[in-house]
Amino acid sequence: PHIWLDPINVITWTNRIASALGEVDPQNAEFYRKNAEDYAKKLQALDAWIREMVEKIPPERRKLIVDHMALGYFAERYGFKQIGAITPSITTLAEPSAKDIAELMELIRKEGVPAIFVSASANPKAAERIAQDTGVKVVTLYLGSLSGPQGPASSYLDLMRYNVSAITEALK
């Protein structure tokens, strides 16, 4: 789940898509290959920018509390630890128990985590309640969808820049 939050994975997909399109449309194979190459350069630049941004966060503060287990690939690529979730599942449809919430609140306090990261498409009520009780911030990220054409995450590149900026600001 959420494998797309690692831009290096997206480079692999871009190349495979270009190759597949070139096979079914050989007359335009070079066009697809060139576009994939250009996009891969943008993704490599994005990866380098993310690494620069993450360097601004002290290693001991690179701990993520999320609404659901969505940031695994991102965390692994960039040196974060996804230490807890409101819904300890890959889906936002599951419901946490009172015990789950109490344990998460204790973890937030113990680890000194300053923010809970919540998907823009999820219901933030549980996160807001936990934040109120623990004194942390709720930070909205785009994890499973874009924002729309006029929003801050209108493309994949914008989504990643928005998320990384929000994470960096919250954890500095």
Side-chain angles (χ1 to χ4, degrees):
H2 299 84
I3 192 171
W4 56 87
L5 296 176
D6 176 344
I8 303 306
N9 290 333
V10 178
I11 291 172
T12 300
W13 298 342
T14 300
N15 292 331
R16 287 183 180 168
I17 291 167
S19 178
L21 289 171
E23 287 177 22
V24 296
D25 182 14
Q27 290 179 322
N28 290 305
E30 181 59 23
F31 171 77
Y32 301 129
R33 188 202 59 76
K34 176 72 171 106
N35 281 340
E37 185 179 288
D38 291 346
Y39 195 58
K41 287 177 185 174
K42 291 177 182 177
L43 292 166
Q44 289 166 343
L46 174 67
D47 176 64
W49 176 81
I50 292 170
R51 291 182 186 285
E52 287 176 26
M53 294 295 287
V54 170
E55 285 299 313
K56 297 177 183 181
I57 306 168
E60 66 275 7
R61 291 185 59 90
R62 295 180 193 165
K63 299 172 187 169
L64 303 171
I65 301 285
V66 293
D67 60 344
H68 67 290
M69 301 304 272
L71 293 173
Y73 286 93
F74 174 84
E76 186 175 325
R77 172 71 59 196
Y78 298 108
F80 289 88
K81 289 188 177 165
Q82 191 173 232
I83 63 169
I86 296 170
T87 304
S89 170
I90 59 172
T91 176
T92 57
L93 301 176
E95 291 287 328
S97 69
K99 181 182 177 202
D100 293 336
I101 297 294
E103 288 174 354
L104 184 62
M105 289 170 52
E106 180 59 30
L107 180 65
I108 290 168
R109 289 181 183 107
K110 178 183 166 210
E111 296 290 333
V113 178
I116 300 170
F117 298 98
V118 179
S119 175
S121 61
N123 183 337
K125 288 187 191 297
E128 290 166 354
R129 180 64 193 182
I130 294 167
Q132 183 180 26
D133 290 348
T134 60
V136 302
K137 299 181 263 188
V138 175
V139 177
T140 301
L141 302 178
Y142 289 89
L143 301 174
S145 64
L146 300 176
S147 63
Q150 304 306 318
S154 61
S155 70
Y156 175 76
L157 297 173
D158 289 341
L159 174 146
M160 291 300 294
R161 285 187 198 106
Y162 174 89
N163 287 346
V164 170
S165 294
I167 291 168
T168 302
E169 185 60 33
L171 297 181
K172 278 199 276 186

